[in-house]
């Protein structure tokens, strides 16, 4: 049995519906120019981080248990300046990597907040990042411990960062301290 031939007008109407259906998701994904401008402006506050950094890092495992490594941080803008990609690595004196992490920093203009997302050894951290002039801080809860990380540029342009932990009512103890130099 032969199928009836559809009139050209019906075929065109059908094609227009298909194109309209395909265009709706594309239109919904069009960027909001005002939001992108706000994101760019917010992300530029972190431009001092871009580049390659390296220097000493000390990790404290407990009283008298300091470990010394060389830390490197490679920071670059991605997605046209809307995301900062931060790749960090600690290397032992013998040359082997003892720690590596990858993080992103982005700004959400809808809630006027920065997000810090970090990945390391199968773990994931997603937390608010507070940006200050020439620095940042973030905190998170890790079981009974509250972790606070603070970074600032020193007057000589070094990246100085510390991490401290507070458990219960005990005073905070420093778990990491690093000072990095910027390399072009």
């Amino acid at each position: 049995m032969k199928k009836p031939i559809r009139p050209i007008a019906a075929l065109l109407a059908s094609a227009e519906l298909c194109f309209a259906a395909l265009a709706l998701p594309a239109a919904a994904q069009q960027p909001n120019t005002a939001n992108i401008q706000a994101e760019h402006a917010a992300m530029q506050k972190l431009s001092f981080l871009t580049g390659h950094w390296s220097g000493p890092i000390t990790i404290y495992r407990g009283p008298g248990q300091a470990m010394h490594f060389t830390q490197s941080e490679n920071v670059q803008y991605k997605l046209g300046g809307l995301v900062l990609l931060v790749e960090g690595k600690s290397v032992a004196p013998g040359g082997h990597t003892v720690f590596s992490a990858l993080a992103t920093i982005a700004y959400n203009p809808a809630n006027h907040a920065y997000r810090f997302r970090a990945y390391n050894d199968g773990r994931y951290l997603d937390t608010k990042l507070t940006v200050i002039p020439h620095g940042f801080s973030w905190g998170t809860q890790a079981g009974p411990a509250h972790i606070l990380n603070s970074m600032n540029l020193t007057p000589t342009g070094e990246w100085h960062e510390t991490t401290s932990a507070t458990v219960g009512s005990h005073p905070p103890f420093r778990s990491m301290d690093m000072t990095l130099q910027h390399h072009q």
Side-chain angles (χ1 to χ4, degrees):
M1 173 184 227
K2 286 188 171 182
K3 288 187 174 183
I5 298 177
R6 296 174 85 186
I8 299 262
L11 287 173
L12 288 176
S14 190
E16 285 176 11
L17 284 175
C18 285
F19 287 126
L22 293 173
L24 283 176
Q29 294 176 5
Q30 294 301 313
N32 179 325
T33 304
N35 282 351
I36 288 179
Q37 289 173 345
E39 287 178 64
H40 274 285
M43 291 304 293
Q44 282 304 301
K45 293 178 182 178
L46 294 166
S47 64
F48 65 90
L49 290 173
T50 60
H52 176 74
W53 300 79
S54 65
I57 183 172
T58 303
I59 298 174
Y60 304 96
R61 296 277 178 171
Q65 297 179 355
M67 299 181 299
H68 304 283
F69 305 112
T70 299
Q71 180 74 15
S72 66
E73 298 283 346
N74 289 304
V75 184
Q76 54 189 288
Y77 280 110
K78 295 293 185 178
L79 299 176
L82 297 178
V83 175
L84 266 180
L85 180 68
V86 182
E87 186 172 11
K89 180 168 55 169
S90 298
V91 177
H96 70 280
T97 300
V98 293
F99 174 82
S100 62
L102 184 71
T104 59
I105 300 172
Y107 180 78
N108 183 344
N111 63 6
H112 308 284
Y114 292 88
R115 293 305 294 181
F116 177 72
R117 293 176 175 98
Y119 309 85
N120 147 269
D121 290 336
R123 292 184 299 268
Y124 171 80
L125 170 69
D126 182 5
T127 190
K128 179 181 176 185
L129 183 88
T130 301
V131 175
I132 59 173
H134 306 292
F136 62 80
S137 65
W138 57 265
T140 191
Q141 201 65 33
H146 178 73
I147 309 299
L148 179 61
N149 185 281
S150 298
M151 177 278 175
N152 66 339
L153 284 182
T154 68
T156 58
E158 295 175 312
W159 172 325
H160 185 249
E161 188 169 347
T162 61
T163 303
S164 60
T166 304
V167 180
S169 61
H170 297 283
F173 67 91
R174 185 161 292 177
S175 61
M176 187 276 297
D177 192 350
M178 73 179 185
T179 303
L180 310 178
Q181 289 75 43
H182 192 250
H183 306 280
Q184 298 294 357

